[in-house]
Amino acid sequence: PGLSAVIGRTNFSVIGTAIKDLCIEQIIGSVYFEGHLDTYTFMDQGAPLTELLALHRGRLNEVRNAHLQSFRGIDELKDYIDATGDKQLAMAMELVETYQDELPHLIGQVRAAHMPLEGRASADQIYSTLHRAKGLEYAHLRINPDFVTWGQVDQTMQRVRECRELSESDQPVGAKRQAEVNQKTQLLIAETDEEINMLYVAVTRARHVLDADEVIRNLVGTEAIPSTGEKTACDQWWVL
């Protein structure tokens, strides 16, 4: 009994999970999105998912969003994603490349299965980004794996070590260079701390049962999980 929900870090992580649950695996029949469903199909820059699909398919005349128009093709956009680490764009690209021209139809299926506000409590599954779920609680909660990863934590730790070694080095690096390194390191630490805090807020939305299997694997690193063929703690649901 109680509400069952999925929380993701980005819009497209959430809509992607809903498509998989409802349309591909067909394990649910009705959905409810906290906030408005249509907002989950837009990027932060205001570009709809359909225009990213058009860019991907080479239909540049259908791209109206100024941000997407700044790219001459999909390869240039992919280079931008790699350079900036834009999680939302990366998730959107994954959706487009996975479902391609079927994507608008699949989103239409999700829209058709969406319950009205008065039917929220009877939906088979509720979906939400962390931002829209703040202050809410769910009896059963699944966390999408697009939160902070071990790679991001490890990168921060490595940068801190490099900064410390630079400051302790016998070779003079100059006050300006040292200040630049310190500033970049502090920014990376702050960003990682924020990501960790967001994951904490996400898991505390669960009242009774928390499914965070993939999140745990991403955070501790798969090499830290024994491959024995037997179930480990990471394969179990957390009962709160």
Side-chain angles (χ1 to χ4, degrees), residues 41-178:
T41 64
F42 282 78
M43 304 176 211
D44 287 341
Q45 301 86 351
L49 199 53
T50 51
E51 290 192 16
L52 178 60
L53 175 61
L55 179 64
H56 182 269
R57 306 301 282 173
R59 302 193 296 266
L60 302 185
N61 61 308
E62 298 178 20
V63 179
R64 300 286 184 269
N65 178 264
H67 182 62
L68 291 184
Q69 283 181 335
S70 67
F71 301 101
R72 290 170 292 184
I74 201 65
D75 290 337
E76 193 171 296
L77 178 58
K78 288 180 178 179
D79 290 341
Y80 171 83
I81 293 172
D82 290 340
T84 61
D86 190 315
K87 284 187 175 182
Q88 186 172 118
L89 262 178
M91 290 299 304
M93 182 64 70
E94 183 178 335
L95 276 178
V96 165
E97 294 193 324
T98 299
Y99 300 114
Q100 301 191 36
D101 289 336
E102 281 295 305
L103 187 56
H105 172 68
L106 295 171
I107 292 175
Q109 284 185 259
V110 173
R111 183 173 284 108
H114 195 279
M115 301 292 286
L117 177 59
E118 58 270 21
R120 175 178 179 271
S122 60
D124 292 338
Q125 191 77 272
I126 293 176
Y127 295 88
S128 181
T129 57
L130 172 62
H131 175 72
R132 296 178 180 90
K134 286 183 178 179
L136 301 177
E137 291 184 332
Y138 307 96
H140 299 77
L141 180 63
R142 176 164 32 123
I143 305 293
N144 272 0
D146 60 329
F147 284 87
V148 64
T149 66
W150 169 249
Q152 184 173 348
V153 175
D154 187 53
Q155 181 185 22
T156 302
M157 294 168 61
Q158 179 64 28
R159 182 68 63 83
V160 170
R161 285 193 292 268
E162 291 173 355
C163 183
R164 183 179 297 118
E165 290 170 0
L166 188 62
S167 64
E168 296 174 354
S169 172
D170 294 333
Q171 300 294 326
V173 295
K176 183 178 179 181
R177 171 59 177 158
Q178 184 67 60

Side-chain angles (χ1 to χ4, degrees), residues 20 142-145 211-219 234:
K20 181 179 179 182
R142 176 164 32 123
I143 305 293
N144 272 0
D211 177 5
D213 181 10
E214 291 186 77
V215 174
I216 297 169
R217 290 181 183 276
N218 284 346
L219 193 55
C234 293

